[in-house]
Amino acid sequence: NAPVTYLIVTANLTANSTSVTITSPTSLVGIVAGMPLYAIQGLFPAGTTVASVSGNTITMSAPAQVTQNAATFEISGLISFQ
């Protein structure tokens, strides 16, 4: 069985931008491209996934629909140990 991560994140979103600044948690270890987002209604289009991770910034596969500080959503999927 592969380990699975279930992470609730708090982020600052800017409408029409795919770049998201994560404010909590402070570590995104194990989050990788392709992981789906959940609880995103009104924040991102359905089916949005993680495109890339760099530091505390995640690039999404689709842009945010709103500008909002402290937006909360979920990321889950198989953990990458690379």
Side-chain angles (χ1 to χ4, degrees):
N1 294 336
V4 174
T5 186
Y6 174 83
L7 188 64
I8 297 175
V9 299
T10 302
N12 296 331
L13 310 178
T14 301
N16 301 313
S17 174
T18 57
S19 182
V20 175
T21 302
I22 305 300
T23 56
S24 175
T26 56
S27 174
L28 298 176
V29 172
I31 303 300
V32 296
M35 288 184 166
L37 277 58
Y38 297 95
I40 58 172
Q41 185 173 1
L43 301 177
F44 295 95
T48 300
T49 61
V50 172
S52 65
V53 179
S54 178
N56 71 330
T57 301
I58 297 178
T59 301
M60 302 302 184
S61 64
Q65 296 174 312
V66 295
T67 296
Q68 182 177 330
N69 288 333
T72 301
F73 56 91
E74 304 162 20
I75 301 173
S76 69
L78 298 179
I79 294 174
S80 171
F81 291 104
Q82 299 179 4

